[in-house]
Amino acid sequence: MRHSPLTYLLPVLGSLLLVPTAGVAIAAASSSEDGVELPPLVAVLGSDDPCTKASKVTASAVPWEQQSLELTRTWRFGNGSGVKVAVVDTGVSTKAPALAGAVTAVGEAADDCVGHGTFVAGLIAAEQVKGVRSAGVAQGADILAVRGTDERGSATAATIAAGIRRATDAGADVIEVSPAVTERTDGLTSAVAYAASHDALIVAAAVPDGTVRAGTSPAPPRDYWPAAEPGVLSVVGVDRTGRPPQDGLAVRRADLAAPGVGVIGVGPEGTGHFIGSGASLAAAYVAGTAALVRAEYPDLTAAATAERLTATAYLADIPRLDPYASLTSVGANAAGPVGKEAQHVPVRLPSAHAGRSTVHQGLLVAAVGGALILVVVWVSVVVPKARARRWHPARRRAVGGGAPQESCRPAAREPEDPDSNDSGSALGVQGATRAAPMRARSQVIARMGRAHGRTTTGGGT
């Protein structure tokens, strides 16, 4: 059976199309890339729970999130040196070896019973420890430990607002806010404005950490604060397929997405690792990248830094953070500022139907492109060969008084004048030479015919 050339072109061209396909979100993994089982990270401790102890397990492989963000090549261009990043969370332990010498505590924030704040700070600025290949985004940044919760990890709008103000007063350039609450208060709005007036960029988790309980209906998308405040860079977490977790809380809008599922980080003490999931972990990656940008481009304001982060992100329903591009791109601050206007654009996650439509559109484009390629090949190969064989349209006489018609067949030779000696004609001299004997034979035959007719007539008389 014969196939159209498109039958062979479509699979090849379709495979070259960078078309996003639907993926399945994964739950928080319990093991690292090298198969090591790690203890889970917790965000809130119960009233009777003991403080988080050091993990006895160390992950030596490069985490998937570090590979996804391409941090190894990003570090060649900066490390965030000189930038202060405040972590408004459960506190940041000064006992974590990966953060040694990098933490300055505000108040009692050097005591991290939960361990969540230390984990987040490690994603931002942890240095590589011997035998471990994971590290923070901005290893040269200074960490300001600020308590934004109570000692057990519970947060309110008031505790978050107080943490933002303390971070601003401490001179933070970037403020990472891990907790997210459902209420918007005047105190929280005022604290955000206070930070903006001091040119501090707030990067906040778009939703609270945690998952929807099994057997319950997921809550409809909604806003959480302070991420929903104008001027705050709102971040959601995604898994290695680029999708938010299916069992996570939904948000109506967000500015950026970053790794936030199955993330590996340090604990409050020791060199061991934990594994966790949540938008606050994604916010840590964005805050670390903001530190890189502010260190490399010190003249950029907080708003301009946010513009650069969003303008250089991977295009998606929720743009994905790209640290390398944010640090190296030229003319990246073309996008509008992150503010009230940008926040009113709702986030629409891709559906399976949308993915199929995109694939169909891509294949249609490939089919059209393949057809054009065949036309070009025909024009460039077949037509020159036809011309070499003197193949051109022949003009035919009009039929029934109609207009002349063209025929795509080799043109017949025009009758040549036998008396012509034009060397440029089809027959030329040879044609004229051959034509003379033919005329002589014709004349002889004609005379013989006439003579024969007379003889027959005479015999009958």
Side-chain angles (χ1 to χ4, degrees):
M1 182 176 63
R2 298 181 62 184
H3 297 281
S4 167
L6 290 179
T7 304
Y8 306 101
L9 286 175
L10 281 177
V12 177
L13 295 176
S15 65
L16 297 177
L17 294 175
L18 299 180
V19 180
T21 58
V24 180
I26 60 173
S30 60
S31 61
S32 63
E33 295 297 310
D34 48 8
V36 177
E37 295 293 327
L38 299 173
L41 172 72
V42 296
V44 180
L45 294 174
S47 57
D48 297 329
D49 292 337
C51 291
T52 301
K53 302 298 182 181
S55 171
K56 298 180 180 179
V57 185
T58 300
S60 58
V62 179
W64 76 266
E65 57 272 18
Q66 189 168 307
Q67 299 179 47
S68 175
L69 295 174
E70 296 184 303
L71 294 183
T72 301
R73 71 168 183 164
T74 303
W75 290 330
R76 293 181 296 173
F77 300 93
N79 65 354
S81 179
V83 177
K84 293 182 179 181
V85 182
V87 177
V88 180
D89 204 314
T90 59
V92 178
S93 175
T94 56
K95 299 177 183 179
L99 293 170
V103 181
T104 299
V106 177
E108 300 178 352
D111 181 17
D112 184 12
C113 180
V114 180
H116 191 278
T118 306
F119 189 104
V120 168
L123 298 180
I124 297 173
E127 292 186 346
Q128 286 186 324
V129 179
K130 185 177 180 181
V132 178
R133 301 178 66 186
S134 62
V137 179
Q139 300 171 44
D142 298 318
I143 297 295
L144 290 174
V146 180
R147 184 74 60 77
T149 68
D150 62 17
E151 294 181 359
R152 314 301 290 179
S154 296
T156 64
T159 59
I160 297 173
I164 293 175
R165 285 186 174 274
R166 285 195 294 267
T168 303
D169 291 337
D173 302 299
V174 180
I175 302 175
E176 190 279 337
V177 181
S178 295
V181 294
T182 58
E183 58 178 334
R184 181 186 188 185
T185 64
D186 293 339
L188 192 53
T189 300
S190 176
V192 170
Y194 181 70
S197 68
H198 287 73
D199 197 35
L201 173 61
I202 298 180
V203 181
V207 296
D209 291 346
T211 59
V212 179
R213 292 183 179 180
T216 62
S217 300
R222 57 161 303 161
D223 290 328
Y224 296 89
W225 281 268
E229 286 287 346
V232 175
L233 206 53
S234 175
V235 185
V236 294
V238 293
D239 59 26
R240 66 181 67 205
T241 70
R243 291 184 174 272
Q246 291 182 340
D247 58 352
L249 298 173
V251 64
R252 291 172 54 192
R253 55 184 66 86
D255 298 307
L256 285 172
V261 178
V263 174
I264 296 174
V266 300
E269 56 185 37
T271 59
H273 293 97
F274 293 80
I275 190 168
S277 299
S280 65
L281 310 185
Y285 284 118
V286 175
T289 305
L292 295 178
V293 172
R294 301 211 76 171
E296 183 67 17
Y297 306 98
D299 293 334
L300 288 183
T301 63
T305 300
E307 292 175 23
R308 187 175 183 87
L309 292 173
T310 55
T312 57
Y314 291 106
L315 294 179
D317 292 271
I318 309 174
R320 292 193 63 183
L321 176 69
D322 185 349
Y324 180 81
S326 66
L327 198 60
T328 62
S329 294
V330 177
N333 282 38
V338 178
K340 183 176 296 184
E341 294 78 7
Q343 291 290 326
H344 281 307
V345 180
V347 172
R348 293 182 175 85
L349 299 182
S351 63
H353 175 73
R356 290 193 299 268
S357 298
T358 304
V359 173
H360 293 165
Q361 292 174 4
L363 293 178
L364 178 60
V365 172
V368 174
L372 291 176
I373 292 174
L374 293 178
V375 171
V376 172
V377 171
W378 186 85
V379 171
S380 61
V381 176
V382 178
V383 173
K385 288 185 177 180
R387 289 178 176 175
R389 299 179 60 183
R390 305 182 69 179
W391 193 353
H392 60 82
R395 185 175 297 277
R396 298 188 299 181
R397 295 182 180 275
V399 179
Q405 301 178 2
E406 301 293 336
S407 175
C408 291
R409 62 178 63 181
R413 296 180 182 272
E414 295 291 338
E416 299 291 342
D417 184 1
D419 296 328
S420 174
N421 290 327
D422 184 4
S423 61
S425 65
L427 295 177
V429 177
Q430 294 180 357
T433 303
R434 293 175 182 176
M438 293 177 65
R439 287 200 305 270
R441 286 196 297 271
S442 299
Q443 293 173 1
V444 172
I445 293 173
R447 286 197 299 269
M448 292 177 63
R450 288 196 296 273
H452 178 72
R454 286 194 301 270
T455 302
T456 303
T457 303
T461 301

